[in-house]
Amino acid sequence: MNILEKIIVHKREELDIRKSMVNEDELVDSKLFKRDCLSLKDSLLAPDVTGIIAEFKRKSPSKGFINQYADAVKVTKAYTNYGASGLSVLTDNEFFGGNTNDIIQARENQIPILRKDFIIDPYQVLAAKAMGADVILLIAACLSPEEVQTLAGFAKKNGLEVLLELHDESELDHICDEIDIVGINNRNLRTFEVDISRSLKLGKMINNKVLVAESGINSIETIKQFRDAGFAGFLVGETFMRAPDPGEAFKNFVEALKHAS
């Protein structure tokens, strides 16, 4: 069983517990569920923006803890103040050290927030909006094309945008009209190997969708490569989170990016 398969098995068990604790009606009645969502797509396409979706995460399955005691409020506020086009917040606890409270705390920022988790059930879509997310992540590697369309349609019906994550050509048939943004993960979730060149090649096969490059982005040169290939967004996490002060690391990265443009 690979890492992704282990995550999904655990996610199904976790879902049963969460459903028994909070039902769907309670999620819909929550305060944050009633807010109007912000558009990550519009934020990425706006003129003169960094295009960076800055990620808050404490841990990864392959590397263990990255920044175990990071403060979600402090880090996401700095990301926002220094020019992030969006935030990505991990909510998976078992494998990524995240939790619902991280995204609720990040919600004080008036910037689009992506809930980064392994969504396989409509309940998680409602939960995403109830915790203050604007966008959900759907991962093609753990969903069928039909499941993607169903979950994406349900998200759109509830006012959320959808980022579909792909890893290779075999997943191109998961793209549907309900998808707002297509993310191409440079890291294979089954092996956790990073290959930027394959992502650049895959991007050329996708038309009429906003493209986001994900994972393994640790230099200005890499962002320039993706920009030249037509990508509007760049999801960056570990590059900042490994620093003693992730907000300061982000600030310095953005300043270098502006000078290089």
Side-chain angles (χ1 to χ4, degrees):
M1 188 180 292
N2 62 44
I3 296 174
L4 181 59
E5 290 169 338
K6 290 178 181 177
I7 291 172
I8 297 304
V9 167
H10 183 271
K11 193 60 58 177
R12 294 191 187 283
E13 295 171 352
E14 179 186 287
L15 257 173
D16 289 339
I17 296 171
R18 291 190 180 277
K19 286 180 178 181
S20 69
M21 294 172 62
V22 181
N23 64 43
E24 292 188 358
D25 289 339
E26 290 175 290
L27 293 175
V28 173
D29 286 339
S30 65
K31 181 180 178 180
L32 288 173
F33 193 95
K34 295 174 173 61
R35 60 177 286 274
D36 292 328
C37 292
L38 303 173
S39 172
L40 178 59
K41 179 179 177 180
D42 288 350
S43 182
L44 293 174
L45 295 177
D48 302 319
V49 296
T50 63
I52 297 175
I53 303 169
E55 187 160 88
F56 181 85
K57 73 173 179 180
R58 296 187 174 89
K59 178 183 176 183
S60 92
S62 60
K63 300 176 183 177
F65 280 105
I66 298 165
N67 197 330
Q68 185 174 0
Y69 303 109
D71 185 318
V73 173
K74 180 182 177 181
V75 173
T76 60
K77 185 176 182 180
Y79 285 165
T80 303
N81 290 344
Y82 294 129
S85 292
L87 302 173
S88 170
V89 180
L90 270 294
T91 55
D92 175 84
N93 180 260
E94 180 72 12
F95 297 92
F96 290 89
N99 58 69
T100 298
N101 198 47
D102 286 340
I103 203 166
I104 292 173
Q105 290 182 327
R107 184 63 277 161
E108 72 174 44
N109 301 290
Q110 291 305 303
I111 184 174
I113 298 178
L114 167 71
R115 181 195 181 185
K116 191 85 174 287
D117 211 316
F118 297 82
I119 292 180
I120 54 176
D121 188 282
Y123 179 90
Q124 293 165 289
V125 176
L126 297 178
K129 191 169 187 189
M131 64 182 71
D134 303 288
V135 192
I136 61 160
L137 173 72
L138 297 181
I139 301 173
C142 58
L143 297 166
S144 69
E146 293 75 22
E147 287 171 329
V148 166
Q149 187 168 30
T150 297
L151 288 167
F154 186 68
K156 299 291 288 180
K157 180 181 176 182
N158 284 283
L160 293 157
E161 288 188 338
V162 183
L163 190 158
L164 173 67
E165 180 176 295
L166 307 181
H167 301 87
D168 56 48
E169 294 177 37
S170 67
E171 297 169 347
L172 288 170
D173 61 352
H174 287 65
I175 300 173
C176 57
D177 292 342
E178 291 79 5
I179 299 301
D180 299 285
I181 303 166
V182 174
I184 300 179
N185 199 335
N186 305 311
R187 179 177 289 113
N188 186 314
L189 285 182
R190 295 185 177 90
T191 65
F192 273 70
E193 295 177 352
V194 174
D195 185 351
I196 288 173
S197 62
R198 188 172 64 178
S199 300
L200 288 166
K201 179 182 176 183
L202 185 58
K204 295 176 182 178
M205 302 178 186
I206 301 168
N207 298 311
N208 304 317
K209 294 291 183 184
V210 175
L211 294 180
V212 169
E214 305 175 28
S215 301
I217 301 173
N218 53 25
S219 72
I220 304 302
E221 289 70 28
T222 302
I223 284 188
K224 289 176 71 176
Q225 274 187 287
F226 279 112
R227 271 185 175 167
D228 291 343
F231 285 73
F234 321 96
L235 196 151
V236 187
E238 287 187 26
T239 297
F240 308 134
M241 292 301 298
R242 286 196 176 279
D245 185 338
E248 187 69 17
F250 176 74
K251 177 186 176 183
N252 294 336
F253 192 89
V254 169
E255 288 178 352
L257 181 61
K258 288 178 179 177
H259 288 142
S261 299

